[in-house]
Amino acid sequence: LAGNVAIVTGGGRGIGLAIARSLAEDGASVVVSGRDAARLDAAVKELEALGAPALAVPADAGKREDVDRLIEVTRERFGRIDVVVNNAGITRDQLLVRMKDDDWDQVLDTNLRGVFLMTRAAGKVMMRQRSGRIISIASTAGAMGNAGQVNYSAAKAGVIGLTKAAARELAHWNILVNAVAPGLIETDMTAAIPAEAREAMLQQVPLKRIGQSREVAEVVRFLAGDGASYITGQTIHVNGGLYI
């Protein structure tokens, strides 16, 4: 990925940081964005220690003004955008009948609207370049549903549908659009799951272990590279067999 410029939303921690690290190790210049400026600054120091040019841009993926600024700042600094990883995501878990409107709205704004805004903005830049890769982080919840997560499951299912439609539209400009759907991965988000619920989910995983962020990042790195030049519109599941 030497010479390539990548943006990773939600790049300050967890899967996003693992992806940013992986792309940097492969030679890309990496822009990390998110809402926590301190985490982003720490991430940039880590990426620069790997020898990669890196930049932190605080931004809320669900706000159009923030997304437009993120794209513009990246272009001003690096001149182009080759890879966009839509990773920013939140959860507001609750049973359907108890879920508040705000729980629904916040999750859909960040997890689905954010992917739409980034894909649209980056797509315009990539069309002029006649090349690019857009990789969105979906979830097994978007394919199989998850009790207590109707908002999250709906958003991630939307990401999968958006990925397929955008892949058809943008193929003419040699822009590849794919999704990666993690299952149960060791992150701050899954650490917050009650122990009993975590164990119940783990029992459904044929490999009988929780996945690591690095294992998701490796698939993203593959999709960003030359080896994936004939793959578009696909969702690759990284879940230990939880959903087959």
Side-chain angles (χ1 to χ4, degrees):
L1 298 176
N4 283 7
V5 178
I7 298 175
V8 182
T9 68
R13 62 177 178 173
I15 290 173
L17 179 54
I19 290 168
R21 194 183 295 123
S22 183
L23 298 176
E25 286 171 352
D26 228 28
S29 301
V30 181
V31 178
V32 287
S33 78
R35 292 186 288 193
D36 189 328
R39 282 186 183 274
L40 295 178
D41 288 341
V44 164
K45 286 185 178 132
E46 186 175 333
L47 297 173
E48 287 177 340
L50 295 171
L55 177 68
V57 181
D60 184 336
K63 293 182 177 173
R64 183 177 59 79
E65 300 82 0
D66 282 20
V67 167
D68 289 347
R69 178 171 50 81
L70 171 59
I71 294 293
E72 193 53 39
V73 168
T74 301
R75 287 184 66 211
E76 284 175 4
R77 170 72 180 272
F78 294 110
R80 57 185 295 111
I81 300 171
D82 301 286
V83 180
V84 164
V85 182
N86 292 310
N87 168 75
I90 61 170
T91 55
R92 296 288 183 272
D93 297 350
Q94 186 54 272
L95 294 174
L96 168 65
V97 294
R98 294 179 186 166
M99 186 169 288
K100 295 181 174 63
D101 292 358
D102 198 44
D103 295 333
W104 173 271
D105 292 342
Q106 285 186 39
V107 169
L108 269 289
D109 276 353
T110 298
N111 297 17
L112 183 55
R113 176 181 165 83
V115 173
F116 158 67
L117 291 173
M118 280 297 296
T119 301
R120 181 178 65 180
K124 291 175 182 176
V125 175
M126 292 174 175
M127 284 165 76
R128 289 193 288 273
Q129 295 173 177
R130 300 195 71 82
S131 69
R133 308 287 174 95
I134 298 172
I135 304 158
S136 299
I137 305 303
S139 169
T140 52
M144 62 188 284
N146 210 11
Q149 289 192 318
V150 293
N151 48 4
Y152 188 79
S153 298
K156 294 301 189 178
V159 168
I160 292 170
L162 186 156
T163 295
K164 293 177 179 181
R168 291 184 184 277
E169 288 191 24
L170 298 175
H172 176 73
W173 290 275
N174 194 34
I175 302 167
L176 309 183
V177 188
N178 291 290
V180 177
L184 188 60
I185 306 294
E186 194 67 70
T187 64
D188 290 350
M189 197 181 282
T190 54
I193 299 171
E196 192 175 313
R198 237 168 100 102
E199 188 56 36
M201 286 181 71
L202 193 55
Q203 291 307 311
Q204 299 175 56
V205 179
L207 288 184
K208 298 300 179 194
R209 69 174 178 86
I210 294 176
Q212 300 300 310
S213 296
R214 180 79 186 192
E215 293 173 302
V216 179
E218 287 292 342
V219 178
V220 174
R221 172 155 63 172
F222 165 68
L223 288 173
D226 291 342
S229 56
Y230 200 54
I231 299 174
T232 196
Q234 304 304 308
T235 299
I236 299 179
H237 289 267
V238 185
N239 61 34
L242 174 64
Y243 171 79
I244 296 174

